[in-house]
Amino acid sequence: MLYLVGLGLADETDITVKGLEIVKRAERVYLEAYTSILLVDKNKLEAYYGRSVILADREMVESSSDDILEAAHVKDVAFLVVGDPFGATTHTDLVLRARELHVPTQSIPNASILSAIGSTGLQLYNFGQTVSMVFFTDTWKPSSFYDRVRENRQMGLHTLMLLDIKVKEQSLENLARGRKVFEPARYMTVAQCASQMLETEEERQEGVYGPDSLAIGAARVGATDQKLVTGTLRQLSEVDMGKPLHSLVLLGRRAHDLEREFISEFVVDRVIFDNIWRRDYEGKQ
């Protein structure tokens, strides 16, 4: 059996009881290590689980999935995923490959950022499509996410933005030369995301979200040092949210007064927030 086990968002203790039982009895345990990260390292996981864990990078999962599935039709294999097992399409591909090999599968759910973002005080059914923001380069600044943001905005819905992480990535030069040299890990910050959102708005000029639009920065959601900040995109482009992982929520016009009351507890500037709320949100539900 292939078990896809959700780990939750923060540390080694977030795994469910059912998930931990599976990990303890599995023949092999893999930790998917590129679509997201836990806020603790592998050694802590191994100490808590009482067994060794194999890191599964992008190359292994996407190109060598048969190695993960080896003998899984007669032995238990645990594949650990930060958040919920199906938070990334890669894991759907792994299940489909298991089916081709007649390997039975079972998913053990857990909290993901898609549900835990409710800790901002925003109501989950007021969210529209989730989008991803990648690191821009001098020659590559994709803006397809902007179209989804615009659609959410038109319906008055919030937009959750998942921020890029770069783990075990190669530079173009090393990739071209076939050298297995990897760049240091990078994790996008709320400030970088807000800046890139404003850069895209400046390029597209469609008036979807500008410098004075309200948003919420979220860092280390689910951890004891979770941090939330409400402000304009201009303010959030300068905020320091600390260690990864970060997310950003663009506030929709259907925001409720209860949501306003909750998010106003962690505003950058209360006067500016109240003025923008009255102008853009009050009576727009």
Side-chain angles (χ1 to χ4, degrees):
M1 176 80 77
L2 171 68
Y3 292 95
L4 286 86
V5 180
L7 296 183
L9 295 172
D11 59 34
E12 70 278 13
T13 65
D14 282 351
I15 191 171
T16 64
V17 173
K18 182 183 292 185
L20 184 58
E21 290 174 349
I22 290 169
V23 167
K24 287 182 175 295
R25 71 169 186 261
E27 181 77 14
R28 300 190 307 279
V29 179
Y30 295 91
L31 172 63
E32 188 265 86
Y34 67 92
T35 60
S36 188
I37 60 165
L38 275 183
L39 304 181
V40 294
D41 61 27
K42 184 170 76 80
N43 294 334
K44 275 203 167 185
L45 293 184
E46 291 177 329
Y48 189 75
Y49 300 158
R51 57 168 311 149
S52 61
V53 173
I54 304 166
L55 283 180
D57 59 18
R58 182 186 297 274
E59 183 177 0
M60 173 183 284
V61 177
E62 296 184 353
S63 303
S64 304
S65 60
D66 286 3
D67 293 340
I68 296 173
L69 298 171
E70 182 182 359
H73 60 292
V74 293
K75 298 178 180 178
D76 288 340
V77 175
F79 186 78
L80 311 183
V81 180
V82 177
D84 187 80
F86 290 109
T89 54
T90 294
H91 312 134
T92 303
D93 290 341
L94 183 61
V95 170
L96 292 175
R97 180 55 181 158
R99 288 179 182 173
E100 291 176 3
L101 298 176
H102 305 290
V103 172
T105 65
Q106 183 177 343
S107 171
I108 313 300
N110 208 321
S112 77
I113 189 61
L114 298 178
S115 56
I117 198 64
S119 64
T120 58
L122 300 179
Q123 297 164 2
L124 294 180
Y125 52 77
N126 276 345
F127 278 80
Q129 303 167 87
T130 299
V131 302
S132 297
M133 176 71 83
V134 301
F135 281 110
F136 286 178
T137 69
D138 292 338
T139 58
W140 188 62
K141 299 181 180 183
S143 62
S144 57
F145 71 90
Y146 186 90
D147 300 317
R148 307 288 81 75
V149 171
R150 184 184 62 242
E151 291 168 2
N152 289 346
R153 175 75 166 182
Q154 290 168 346
M155 293 185 287
L157 301 174
H158 311 312
T159 300
L160 171 60
M161 307 189 79
L162 306 179
L163 311 192
D164 200 6
I165 69 173
K166 297 292 187 185
V167 180
K168 205 175 180 181
E169 297 277 341
Q170 293 175 271
S171 67
L172 291 177
E173 179 183 353
N174 286 326
L175 196 60
R177 295 176 180 273
R179 297 186 299 212
K180 291 286 186 178
V181 178
F182 301 101
E183 299 296 297
R186 291 189 296 150
Y187 306 96
M188 184 179 287
T189 66
V190 163
Q192 289 171 317
C193 180
S195 296
Q196 290 188 182
M197 182 66 208
L198 292 175
E199 183 178 350
T200 303
E201 181 61 58
E202 182 69 23
E203 174 69 25
R204 297 285 291 263
Q205 291 287 310
E206 296 182 34
V208 176
Y209 280 91
D212 292 330
S213 298
L214 293 178
I216 302 171
R220 299 172 300 284
V221 174
T224 55
D225 62 344
Q226 170 179 298
K227 183 175 182 177
L228 303 172
V229 176
T230 301
T232 65
L233 282 175
R234 180 188 291 112
Q235 289 170 333
L236 292 183
S237 69
E238 300 174 351
V239 73
D240 181 2
M241 300 288 290
K243 298 178 296 183
L245 295 170
H246 294 186
S247 301
L248 182 73
V249 179
L250 302 172
L251 200 64
R253 290 186 185 274
R254 285 170 55 181
H256 191 275
D257 282 343
L258 288 176
E259 294 175 295
R260 176 196 58 78
E261 183 177 351
F262 200 106
I263 66 176
S264 66
E265 288 299 310
F266 32 88
V267 294
V268 175
D269 186 305
R270 184 60 183 259
V271 173
I272 291 176
F273 172 82
D274 286 343
N275 288 336
I276 293 175
W277 182 273
R278 282 192 293 267
R279 183 192 71 194
D280 294 343
Y281 295 90
E282 197 166 76
K284 304 291 177 61
Q285 294 87 353

